[in-house]
Amino acid sequence: MTRKLLFFVLFVCVQHPIIFAQNPTEYIWWNPVQNQFPVIEGQAWPKDVKNPYDRLPAQAEKSVRDVVWNLSHNGAGLLIRFKASTDQLVVRYAVSGSHALPHMPATGVSGVDLYALNSDGDWRWCTGKYAFKDTIEYRFTNLEPNDQYHQKGREYRLYLPLYNSVKWLEIGVPKGVSFTPLPTRIEKPIVVYGTSIAQGACASRPGMAWTAILGRKLDRPVINLGFSGNGRLEKEVVQLLPDIDAKLYVLDCLPNLVASVGIAPEEIKNRIMESVKTLRQKRPAIPVLLVEHAGYTDGSLNATRRKFYTDANELMRQAFAQLKTEGINQIYLLPKTALNLEMDDMVDGTHPTDLGMQHYADAYEKSIRTILNEPIGQYSTTKPCTQFRDAAIYDWETRHRDMVSLAKAKPPRIIFLGNSITHYWGGQPQAPISRGSDSWNTVLAPLGTQNFGYGWDRIENVLWRVYHDELDGYAAAQVVVMIGTNNLQLNSDTEIIEGLKFLVSAIKTRQPGADILLLGILPRRQGEARILELNKGIAQASGQLNVTFADPGTVFLKEDGKIDETFFTDGLHPNAEGYQKLVGKLTPFLKPVEQSNKQKR
């Protein structure tokens, strides 16, 4: 090639570079409204709404004030759950109002917010590139499709706009990846009736509203009935609340009931009392949490503003005291001192920053955990969480739903809490693996034993299940606990024992009439020596807890202290012969049917 020709080729390539076309990603789009089962969580009346993303039922349009009805179209508190194994996804949607407010960004007013749960139940936040146009688009890329345990993806939760109404919404994932919509959860929700602060002003994004943070902390559905400037304990709204079979009602309306609103003090006090009585009359067993005004961050310098919230809080304390005097129980008060907001916790002296939202959620969590008897501790074993580690074999959430339903339909006499060693033993609902069904059917089934074992569970996962209804609504004769082997690689002996103490206390709260049998951890290959010492600590803890302890795993040990491999499939899980040996050692500690019948007489 001559120099002139070479120069010409280089000149053309520089001036007119060759563009290698990339095939655009082909997306498959899913519309939650068209799903075959309900997936829009945070709606108390999902079958009765006028528009798909409304928060109040259609009949409320005739009773509540227009401004409340219009605010009920905002998506505050609504979220959509799904599982996906993908490195990218797109959310596109349209809203009915302006994108931003003077004191609140478009990402909070009109944006969406995506969170993920990894297979160990830990939260992760997903950053998205957004474009606010007629059709708003959020694009989430560079996601890790899977955790280390399997290729089934992870759970995602998409929070909807706080201060705008969704007209339509679609979620897109690349063609060929797995995408599974998840149904709304079965747990009873926390119901919050409040003001703009409850609705979410002025969070930078939907997931930072205190109600959303609280939902993640408690891992419970939350119904957000916050109405900006209009949370006034009006009977037209309060009368709707008992329609909801709640875990707890929260009434946080004082910021809209200060003197500047023009409602007489006696009327404010009367509204507080009548609201509680309405709830108590129709839902006598559900706790009600009354909340004082959190104050204004400029209140230390502004006497007028300070008087607004101090007067309102005095009325709340008077109403609360009178309700208690009248014998109304299951009501609680969250005082301003417990909310404890600081100088930088508000945008405009009234509405929280993200920092303020976090402080709100922290105070609520502490109060609600006390009310619901759901304490947490400092170790991972004392912090309840879900898991998705054994997804290649079964679905953890589906099993939880099945367990709650089965316990309601056929209350068990003996509850057997555990991990895969229990799960894959036998019983109903039938597991995908069953290694000891003969011994289960022969010995445990006739005793009315229900298998509450979940493959890959740790102590904290069983604690979550106990906190989330698996032991509620019936009275068992005995609860057997065999859990902790999956914590050995992560936790110290002290942490495991403390977790078991938390778990036993939670069981006692929910099954006060049941005998509790705490079992030692079964020996496993290369872990025999540690487990021997750990079980001594568990036995000592059982004495402190006043429950029965047994160590049936000793039946698997040879004279040298090592396990007899002939009784195991893999050095951890017993085979059929191993389960037969185990049940023989366990039977003397199980409560016989005759003993239960005598006690009932």
Side-chain angles (χ1 to χ4, degrees), residues 173-335:
V173 294
K175 186 177 180 180
V177 307
S178 67
F179 181 91
T180 306
L182 294 177
T184 54
R185 286 173 287 176
I186 60 175
E187 286 82 15
K188 295 180 180 181
I190 307 294
V191 177
V192 179
Y193 175 29
T195 67
S196 57
I197 298 170
Q199 184 168 340
C202 289
S204 64
R205 46 188 175 83
M208 285 307 300
W210 72 257
T211 52
I213 299 171
L214 180 67
R216 292 193 297 276
K217 283 175 168 288
L218 298 176
D219 203 9
R220 288 191 177 278
V222 176
I223 304 296
N224 186 327
L225 297 179
F227 302 109
S228 187
N230 291 275
R232 300 181 181 178
L233 294 179
E234 294 166 307
K235 64 179 182 180
E236 294 82 3
V237 177
V238 173
Q239 288 173 348
L240 295 170
L241 301 184
D243 292 348
I244 312 167
D245 187 11
K247 190 73 174 180
L248 171 78
Y249 296 112
V250 175
L251 301 181
D252 189 356
C253 291
L254 282 196
N256 288 163
L257 290 172
V258 294
S260 59
V261 178
I263 301 174
E266 280 304 312
E267 173 62 16
I268 294 172
K269 181 179 176 181
N270 183 64
R271 289 190 186 190
I272 296 169
M273 297 183 63
E274 288 304 313
S275 297
V276 171
K277 290 177 180 179
T278 296
L279 294 172
R280 186 54 67 242
Q281 180 181 11
K282 297 182 179 180
R283 294 288 186 178
I286 299 177
V288 179
L289 177 60
L290 299 171
V291 185
E292 287 188 2
H293 196 306
Y296 305 122
T297 50
D298 61 336
S300 60
L301 294 176
N302 189 321
T304 300
R305 296 255 289 169
R306 183 166 64 249
K307 183 173 172 52
F308 283 160
Y309 66 75
T310 54
D311 287 353
N313 285 343
E314 177 58 27
L315 291 172
M316 173 64 81
R317 287 189 286 269
Q318 291 175 12
F320 182 80
Q322 188 168 334
L323 288 166
K324 295 295 289 184
T325 300
E326 294 178 10
I328 296 180
N329 296 317
Q330 283 282 73
I331 60 171
Y332 303 87
L333 181 66
L334 181 58

